Structures are given as structure tokens and as C-alpha cells.
């Protein structure tokens, strides 16, 4: 009767507080590079949006109609025909809405392992049981999903198929087809979380799962290609489910900031976001290359790492019985930071893993940070 | 296993869509008057906030430190000593966080009857049982609360004690003391939802429940005194609970828009919000008076209504077996709208009730709208 939820804070967000000392070179947070924000363009967009008094008023829960059209057109242009989306307060809110609408005590949710830890947090809060599905260099392993579906009967599968958090890996096109088939055969809903998909530094785009399966809830975000401070995400789902999720959003926050939505709509109409993303990709690609190039001289023999085609992250596994949480304490004394991998596991953590983000530091800073990290790891 | 939440949309939000025809004079929505927004001041605040690149970045879940300080100081200045608050995406989110953290299947929540319907929505989604507590012209009736506490053992009491939604009534100071005592004696948490408290048109302030009871979660909002489009609210609670609610907010949306928070902090630092509220109160008070003055000639004999000292709403009860939902259809044909009262009841609705909002229309529009309403009600 006097229940208060027992909850644990995100280790990454707690870590961000620890690593905010200016002398620390942090590879911990999944932060976009602030110097690459189009601050002038965004400020101009707010200024233009705020010439209309209506942007200060309450607004429909579904979101700004102009922004919904612009987002739907962008998705359609990227090969995912989209008639409507629900605008959310960042794609984290989309995850929370899905969790509220579709999970609860007794529900089972399957997740790629390792996976985005705030998704795990969100699912845990509903009381649902989380079951891991194996992944390898090509992403989630379909045979593992078949086995989990047969034994655990999950209602939902959550994954970040493109440039995953935390691994940076991309699910191959062949596996996507197979996973869509499994979902169709077993009444499984897929949550395709895609905040990084447009940040590709080499190779060519893989079709989204949502283009192969009607049972997919597709989540997108302005945070990695625009600005996370605006807290704008979107959710694409079949019409019935979109309506349910809209009602859940009414109770969650009535609607997302009218001001931020209007500014984003103006920004998208007045600016060439693709050109901005091309600039981001050129710079982030160079940062990725710098980090990958430094890894052999940074890590002990036997260390393995992912080789991301895009996104923000490299995932490492140290040899032997290394514990990256212990190593982090040493790293912080050397003014460098990363995220220990354990928190990204749903059940049994691999303590020898860790996540490095290469987007928020310049090539020079990456060089210096990796040199500091070498002193810790070698 | 394949649960999808069964949810009902808010009748008020659905109604807002119906009443958006420009020829309709709507007393339905609880909307602030757009012509009274300080659009220039707000636009200037965004422009200044957006000179700092950091406002586009991820930010702490707790909220912008400057805004938290400014809000805490304002609360302290209003007689509620406050050391910290959690910034929320509108006060609706604060309600949702409290519901997630403190309710669930098997939990019992007591609510003043009638009450804010999006609170009812929020509580229902958790699977908690909602039990009504009677109210009269002086607000929630303590003897009814005693009886509900004894028989139902709720863990939480939700109410809007000042200028309530939907009734406009204010809980008397004497009753507040009594309710704080009941809460202390029975381990009852109080959720004091106070979006309207600063919109007082006569009489003097009544101390908040939170100043009388440590077991109070106090919710405030920028929506009624500033601009709802910015989606900024705050939550004041004992430190332990504030920390739990902050973690729940991490999962809900990571944090509220950095841009909107920074703009609000600049606005509060650069402008005299109290002077703005004084202007709002002068205009809204005149609108209140116009609506109250028109009521005797608008309604049939035997109709009763509340006599609000502030806020946005008048609550009516029609005589006999009137059904305000049926009357609304007739009203819409006369290009005037209100909210039927049934949805504000937790259990057994009183179909003869209805809510009128007086803030969003000018005195002239109120005169015309009430004349249209008279044709429907008389």
C-alpha cells in the first residue's frame, strides 16, 4: 500500500557527473560534439518560430503537424514510407511510452545483449522480465532469437540495429529479413531504436527493420543529428498502436514543448539537414578513424573491439579476468574516462567489456586520451 | 504476454479538437489567454539563452541549476521554504512520475471528487484503485478523508487545493491543518497540485499544504503564469523521494528541454514575473466577474455554481436530471462549448455538472458566449 518504486540511477549519467572536471578527456558519454551544433541556424529557427504567439500555447499530443509532415517525409525519403509519426520528448520518452503501453508485471521483453542501458532501466521499471538475445559482429543472432522466442515467449524485442549502443555494430540485411520473419511468425513486436542511423561514415545504408515488418515500432531522434537539448524524438507505428501510444503520452506530459517543435519545423524547412549531417559524418568519421587507429597501441594483446561503420561507439573486450569498473577508477586518476560494460547487460554482465565514444572529442584530444588510457590498460 | 494497455483518451483534449472551429466560443479548455503571453519577453529570453552552445546539449536530469534556484527562491518567497526542486516536462509529467514511483496494481489512491481528469488518467494507467473523497465549497471534506483512510487505507491523496480544477474552489486554511494531521497520523502522502495558486483575484493567499506537512509532494507549473507551450513544471518533495523521482524521470525522458529551461531561467532573471502575474490577474479577474455576473441569466432556476477566488474555472450543477453531455451537442450547434462534468469523477459521475473556463475569452466574448449558452440551458 505504501509502495515506493525501488530504482537504480543510470551508471552512465552518474559517471557523467564524475567526468565533468575539465581536465578529464571523457570517452564515456554518448554526447554529440557541441562545436558542431548549428547554433546560429537553431537560434534563427527559434526566433522565427517565436513570431507566432501560438507556439506558447498548449498543443495537440500528437505533435506539431508541420514537424510530423517533415519527419514523415524524411523517413519516406530514406526508404521507410511513413504517413504519420508521434512526436516525443526525445526518443527516450518513446521507449517509456512503449514500456507503459506494452509491458508490465508478467510481460517478457527480449533485448539484444549488450544493449542501451536506459532501455533496460525503462523496461525494469514496469516489472517486466528481460531476457537477453545473443549478438555478434553482425548484430543480433537470429538462431538465438528463435531459441528465446520458443522458450521465453516474449511479446516485444528491443534492439538498436544500426550502429548499436553500446557496440557500434550493425545488423546485416540478411538477418533483418530473418528477424522480420520470426516476428511475423510469433506475434512478436519489434522496437527498432534508430538514433544513429544517419551517422554513417562508410558503406551504404541497410534497410530499416520497419520497412520489412509491420510489427515494428520505429524510434527516431533529433538528438544525434540536430541537438539533444531540444529533446525531440519521434515514433512510427501501425495506426492502432500509434493511437494508444498517443493516449499514453497525454498522461505522460500532455505534449512535447510547442516551442521546440515549432523551432525544429522551421529549422528543417529553412536549412539543409542532409548537408549538416554530411559535415557531421566527415568529422565524426575522422574521429572514429583516430580512435580505431590508436586502439592497437592502447590495449593489451588479446583485446578485441568492434569496427563501427557509423554512430558514436566502439566496444572493447579486454583479455583475461579484467574488470573495467576497477580500471575506470585508475583511468579517472589519469584524467580519462569510459563506461564499464557491465551495465549494458540484461542479466549476466561481462566485466571485461567497456564502451568508448569517439564523437565528443577532437582527433587531437582522442590521441591524448588514448595515450592516457594506454597507461591504464597496458 | 502480449498485453497492450487499454486506455481512454482525455475527453477534454478530444473536445478541444471539436471546438477548434473559429466561430466557436469555447469555455471548454483550461487555456491561458494567448494575447496575454509576454511573447516579446519570451522570445528575447530564448535568443539570449541560445547564445550559449551548452543549451543544445544533454543536461542533468534534475534540471537547469539556475532555473532550480530561481524556482526554489520563488517558492520560498511565497511562504514555502524550498532548497531544491526537480524540473519536469510540465506538471503533468510530475504527476506521471509520482504515479510510476508510488502506484501500481494493488495500490490505493484517494482523490478529491471531482478532480483533474488527467490525474485520474495517469493513476488509472498504473492499475491503482482510485477512491473518491467528498468536497464542498471549502474544498476536500476532512471527515470524508478520515472515513476513506480508515476503510480504504490509501497510500496517496491527490488534490488541487487552491482554485481547483474543475471546481475553482479553495481548501480552507483550517482544513489544510486538519488534512496535514491526518496525513501524519496515517502515513499518507499528499500530492498538492498547485498550477493556479498565483492567479488570485480577491482575498489573500492560503498557506500551501506542503508548508504544513513533510509528507507532501508539491507540484508547480510555468503553464498558467508563463506559457504552457514551454512545458515546464517542477516538483518539490523530501530529499529521498526527490532522488527516486529523479531516477524515474531519467527513464521517462532523460531530462526536460535544455533550451526551454535555459530560456525560462533567463526570463525569470531578466523580467518581473510578479508584475506580469498582476496584469494577468487584473484581466482574468474581470473575465471571472463577467462570467459570474452572466450566470443567473444563463442558467435555469435551481442551478448552483462555485464562486472562485482565482484560477480558471467555474463549476456548475444544473437542476433535475440534466445531462450536460447531451446539452454539449446542442451547445456546439450554437457555437459555444464547455466540458461536461462526468469525466472529472473517479467513480460515480454526476451528469448534471459542467465546467466553464473564463480565462481564454475576452469580457465581450464571454458575454456573447453566455448568451449562446442561455439558449441551450434555458
Amino acid at each position: 500500500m505504501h509502495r515506493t518504486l525501488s530504482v537504480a540511477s543510470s551508471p552512465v549519467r552518474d559517471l557523467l557527473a564524475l567526468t565533468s572536471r575539465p581536465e578529464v578527456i571523457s570517452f564515456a558519454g554518448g554526447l554529440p560534439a557541441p562545436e558542431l551544433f548549428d547554433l546560429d541556424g537553431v537560434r534563427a529557427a527559434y526566433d522565427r518560430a517565436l513570431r507566432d504567439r501560438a507556439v506558447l500555447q498548449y498543443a495537440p499530443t500528437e505533435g506539431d503537424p508541420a514537424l510530423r509532415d517533415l519527419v514523415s517525409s524524411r523517413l519516406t525519403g530514406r526508404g521507410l514510407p511513413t504517413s504519420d509519426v508521434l512526436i516525443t520528448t526525445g526518443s527516450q520518452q518513446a521507449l517509456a511510452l512503449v514500456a507503459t503501453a506494452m509491458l508490465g508485471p508478467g510481460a517478457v521483453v527480449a533485448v539484444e545483449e549488450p544493449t542501451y542501458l536506459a532501455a533496460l532501466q525503462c523496461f525494469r521499471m514496469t516489472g517486466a522480465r528481460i531476457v537477453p538475445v545473443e549478438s555478434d559482429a553482425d548484430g543480433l543472432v537470429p538462431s538465438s532469437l528463435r531459441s528465446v522466442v520458443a522458450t521465453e515467449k516474449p511479446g516485444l524485442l528491443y534492439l538498436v540495429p544500426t550502429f548499436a549502443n553500446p557496440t557500434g555494430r550493425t545488423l546485416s540485411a540478411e538477418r533483418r529479413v530473418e528477424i522480420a520473419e520470426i516476428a511475423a511468425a510469433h506475434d512478436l513486436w519489434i522496437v527498432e531504436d534508430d538514433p544513429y542511423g544517419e551517422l554513417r561514415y562508410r558503406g551504404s545504408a541497410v534497410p530499416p527493420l520497419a520497412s520489412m515488418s509491420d510489427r515494428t515500432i520505429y524510434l527516431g531522434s533529433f538528438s544525434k543529428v540536430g541537438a539533444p537539448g531540444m529533446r525531440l524524438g519521434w515514433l512510427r507505428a501501425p495506426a492502432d498502436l500509434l493511437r494508444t501510444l498517443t493516449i499514453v503520452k497525454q498522461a505522460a506530459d500532455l505534449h512535447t514543448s510547442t516551442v521546440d517543435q515549432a523551432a525544429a519545423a522551421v529549422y528543417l524547412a529553412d536549412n539543409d539537414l542532409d548537408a549538416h549531417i554530411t559535415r557531421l559524418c566527415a568529422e565524426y568519421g575522422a574521429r572514429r578513424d583516430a580512435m580505431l587507429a590508436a586502439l592497437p597501441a592502447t590495449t593489451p594483446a588479446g583485446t578485441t573491439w568492434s569496427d563501427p561503420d557509423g554512430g558514436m561507439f566502439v566496444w572493447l573486450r579486454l583479455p583475461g579476468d579484467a574488470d573495467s569498473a576497477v580500471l575506470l577508477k585508475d583511468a579517472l586518476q589519469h584524467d580519462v574516462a569510459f563506461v564499464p560494460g557491465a551495465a549494458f547487460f540484461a542479466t549476466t554482465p561481462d566485466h571485461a567489456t567497456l564502451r568508448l565514444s569517439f564523437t565528443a572529442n577532437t582527433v587531437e584530444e582522442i590521441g591524448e586520451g588514448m595515450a592516457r588510457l594506454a597507461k591504464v590498460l597496458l
Side-chain angles (χ1 to χ4, degrees), chain A:
Chain A
M1 143 186 139
H2 298 153
R3 163 184 188 266
T4 299
L5 195 70
S6 169
V7 288
S9 183
S10 155
V12 171
R13 293 191 72 78
D14 293 347
L15 195 55
L16 287 178
L18 280 179
T19 60
S20 63
R21 283 185 291 129
E23 60 274 28
V24 173
I25 294 179
S26 178
F27 302 133
L31 303 181
E35 72 277 16
L36 301 179
F37 290 145
D38 179 12
L39 183 65
D40 292 340
V42 171
R43 188 170 60 239
Y46 274 89
D47 193 64
R48 209 184 117 192
L50 281 160
R51 292 181 187 278
D52 179 0
R53 193 164 282 280
V55 305
L56 295 185
Q57 189 57 285
Y58 285 111
T61 302
E62 291 81 353
D64 181 303
L67 182 61
R68 281 153 60 205
D69 280 353
L70 286 157
V71 168
S72 297
S73 297
R74 273 189 75 76
L75 290 175
T76 301
R78 288 174 57 210
L80 182 57
T82 301
S83 57
D84 202 2
V85 294
L86 171 65
I87 301 295
T88 58
T89 308
S91 67
Q92 182 66 34
Q93 184 184 50
L95 264 179
L97 299 178
V98 169
T100 300
M102 303 178 81
L103 298 177
V108 179
V109 54
V111 300
E112 182 179 5
E113 173 121 297
T115 199
Y116 174 49
L117 63 85
L120 295 175
Q121 263 191 308
C122 223
F123 299 156
R124 281 190 189 119
M125 272 187 202
T126 68
R129 195 158 56 85
I130 304 176
V131 294
V133 182
E134 284 170 39
S135 66
D136 64 19
D138 290 324
L140 187 125
V141 177
S143 62
S144 175
L145 179 61
R146 279 185 206 285
S147 154
V148 164
V149 164
T151 56
E152 305 283 359
K153 306 201 186 316
L156 205 70
L157 166 68
Y158 171 79
L159 76 175
V160 185
T162 307
F163 318 140
N165 182 358
T167 65
R169 294 166 183 157
T170 296
L171 185 67
S172 70
E174 298 71 29
R175 288 190 178 181
R176 290 178 192 226
V177 173
E178 206 174 338
I179 289 167
E181 286 167 1
I182 297 170
H186 296 275
D187 279 3
L188 183 67
W189 282 101
I190 300 170
V191 179
E192 178 175 27
D193 193 359
D194 189 27
Y196 312 109
E198 293 186 278
L199 296 177
R200 174 176 284 280
Y201 318 132
R202 64 181 187 199
S204 51
V206 186
L209 274 161
S211 69
M212 304 170 178
S213 166
D214 287 345
R215 299 189 60 83
T216 303
I217 302 160
Y218 177 92
L219 314 186
S221 174
F222 202 57
S223 294
K224 308 305 190 284
V225 297
M230 294 170 77
R231 306 307 303 124
L232 292 173
W234 45 85
L235 183 156
R236 175 192 181 277
D240 277 7
L241 188 53
L242 200 64
R243 177 160 167 79
T244 297
L245 291 165
T246 302
I247 296 170
V248 174
K249 181 170 164 65
Q250 275 184 11
D253 65 1
L254 297 184
H255 62 83
T256 294
S257 164
T258 322
V259 184
D260 296 335
Q261 291 188 74
V266 168
Y267 184 87
L268 288 172
D270 285 1
N271 296 271
D272 184 348
L273 182 61
D274 290 328
H276 178 65
I277 292 172
T278 300
R279 287 190 293 274
L280 290 180
C281 286
E283 183 58 34
Y284 287 165
R287 294 177 185 192
R288 188 214 85 97
D289 292 348
M291 184 171 278
L292 272 284
L295 274 168
T298 305
T299 56
T303 304
T304 57
W305 54 82
S306 60
D307 186 21
D309 293 331
M312 308 179 95
F313 305 113
V314 183
W315 178 246
L316 274 71
R317 189 177 192 291
L318 299 168
D321 60 353
D323 184 337
S324 61
V326 173
L327 291 166
L328 175 62
K329 288 177 192 163
D330 198 8
L332 286 170
Q333 293 196 325
H334 286 80
D335 289 338
V336 63
F338 55 81
V339 185
F344 299 99
F345 290 82
T347 50
T348 313
D350 180 348
H351 293 283
T353 57
L354 60 97
R355 188 190 78 178
L356 297 177
S357 172
F358 51 77
T359 48
N361 292 287
T362 64
V363 166
E364 293 68 31
E365 288 162 344
I366 288 170
E368 171 60 22
M370 295 300 273
R372 292 181 193 173
L373 196 56
K375 290 182 200 154
V376 177
L377 299 182
L378 290 178

